[in-house]
């Protein structure tokens, strides 16, 4: 088709793409082209702005490597990751869900750790934390044999892969629920932290006068064949950033009850003040799949 007017371009592209054999691929690409063309028309995108956008996307890729994923970070910071999560969980977005975005810091092969064991693998500041968790299905029955990945940042605000002071796999562990559907671990109470701001996502946040903080949280990934893999986070209640998470990950269901305790801890290794977290995860029947790890 020879293009006569700007309006013709969209139809020409849709027609050129019409031979795609994979129906879902075709549906997604058709919609993408219609929306991105409509977007360019709506904002009357200039050539200079288009060039800046191309540069921006290229930088997202250039800054993505084995230990950092700027593309995921960008998706998170514009709310796309949370939107996709909510569209695909909780009865396709119609009811509340216990799921949350994966974030850019999940690693495969976290060290297997016995129930009650510690995921503090090198000296780490922060109040000792004891987490006692239950996993059940929608009928309230306990789920045994669920593999649970746990990971969180140090109270200093960095994941081990970002911080030379922490050993490999610090504050990461893999647990298996017992016959009563329980798993438990020791760690330190996490703190809030800023997402990385040295790349293009940081440029965007500054231009929008947004702060870069996430409220303190612990990440969980629960896997059991026959159940939809549950990827989620449990946030520290009363955190100052609960209402303004830079990546829009907080739902009411995910605010945990992190209790400050001064009674003797049920662990001989904890003295003085400590913190407890009791939390129940509910898994829905479905397919157990694992996401592609954002970093290695
Ligand atoms: C995180 O919680 O690890 C995270 C999520 C989204 C962007 C950056 C960090
Ligand atoms: Fe996190």
């Amino acid at each position: 088709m020879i293009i006569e007017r700007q309006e013709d371009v969209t139809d020409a592209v849709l027609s050129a793409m019409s031979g795609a054999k994979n129906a879902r691929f075709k549906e997604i690409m058709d919609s993408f082209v219609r929306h991105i063309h409509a977007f360019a028309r709506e904002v009357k995108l200039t050539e200079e702005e288009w060039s800046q956008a191309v540069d921006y996307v290229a930088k997202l890729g250039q800054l993505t490597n084995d230990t950092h994923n700027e593309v995921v970070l960008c998706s998170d910071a514009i709310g796309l990751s949370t939107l996709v999560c909510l569209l695909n969980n909780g009865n396709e977005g119609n009811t509340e869900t216990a799921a949350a975005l994966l974030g850019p810091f999940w690693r495969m092969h976290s060290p297997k750790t016995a129930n009650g064991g510690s995921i503090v693998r090198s000296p780490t500041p922060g109040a000792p934390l004891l987490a006692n968790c239950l996993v059940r299905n929608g009928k309230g029955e306990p789920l045994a044999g669920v593999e649970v990945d746990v990971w969180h940042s140090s109270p200093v605000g960095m994941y081990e892969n970002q911080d030379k002071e922490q050993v490999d796999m610090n504050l990461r562990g893999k647990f298996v629920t017992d016959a009563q559907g329980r798993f438990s671990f020791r760690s330190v109470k996490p703190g809030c932290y800023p997402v990385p701001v040295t790349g293009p996502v940081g440029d965007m946040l500054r231009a929008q006068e947004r702060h870069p903080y996430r409220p303190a949280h612990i990440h969980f990934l629960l896997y059991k064949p026959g159940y939809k893999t549950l990827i989620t986070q449990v946030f520290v209640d009363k955190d100052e950033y609960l209402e303004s998470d830079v990546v829009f990950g907080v739902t009411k269901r995910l605010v945990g009850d992190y209790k400050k305790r001064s009674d003797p801890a049920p662990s001989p290794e904890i003295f003085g003040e400590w913190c407890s977290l009791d939390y129940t995860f509910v898994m829905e029947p479905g397919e157990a799949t694992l996401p592609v790890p954002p970093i290695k």
Side-chain angles (χ1 to χ4, degrees), residues 31-221:
S31 176
F32 177 73
V33 165
R34 277 190 278 102
H35 280 86
I36 204 159
H37 284 207
F39 152 77
R41 289 189 181 102
E42 183 182 315
V43 301
K44 297 196 170 49
L45 200 67
T46 66
E47 287 158 298
E48 195 188 336
E49 287 159 350
W50 174 83
S51 174
Q52 280 174 4
V54 168
D55 225 41
Y56 190 88
V57 173
K59 270 202 206 130
L60 294 177
Q62 285 154 7
L63 283 176
T64 295
N65 53 42
D66 281 357
T67 57
H68 177 77
N69 197 318
E70 191 79 7
V71 183
V72 172
L73 185 57
C74 184
S75 163
D76 297 343
I78 60 170
L80 181 61
S81 309
T82 289
L83 174 61
V84 171
C85 171
L86 298 182
L87 283 173
N88 287 280
N89 291 282
N91 189 20
E92 300 190 342
N94 291 308
T95 53
E96 195 182 30
T97 177
L101 76 171
L102 176 69
F105 295 126
W106 177 60
R107 290 177 68 186
M108 259 189 172
H109 312 304
S110 284
K112 289 188 177 136
T113 310
N115 265 321
S118 176
I119 58 172
V120 180
R121 304 180 193 281
S122 60
T124 309
L129 169 77
L130 282 179
N132 272 305
C133 304
L134 170 67
V135 186
R136 58 173 180 78
N137 63 18
K139 295 182 206 149
E141 296 158 346
L143 292 178
V146 181
E147 290 180 24
V148 186
D149 270 23
V150 176
W151 70 104
H152 68 90
S153 69
S154 86
V156 171
M158 279 190 281
Y159 285 79
E160 50 80 33
N161 52 292
Q162 303 174 294
D163 184 5
K164 296 227 169 359
E165 300 296 313
Q166 299 178 55
V167 295
D168 189 41
M169 294 290 180
N170 191 42
L171 307 183
R172 295 179 188 268
K174 188 187 268 302
F175 299 85
V176 180
T177 56
D178 64 17
Q180 283 76 45
R182 299 202 161 271
F183 71 96
S184 57
F185 62 92
R186 276 187 291 128
S187 191
V188 288
K189 188 179 175 191
C192 57
Y193 64 89
V195 299
V197 289
T198 50
V201 173
D203 294 340
M204 178 183 77
L205 295 177
R206 281 183 291 277
Q208 294 166 340
E209 303 201 354
R210 290 166 62 185
H211 74 69
Y213 282 88
R214 295 221 64 208
H217 58 275
I218 301 179
H219 294 263
F220 297 88
L221 184 153

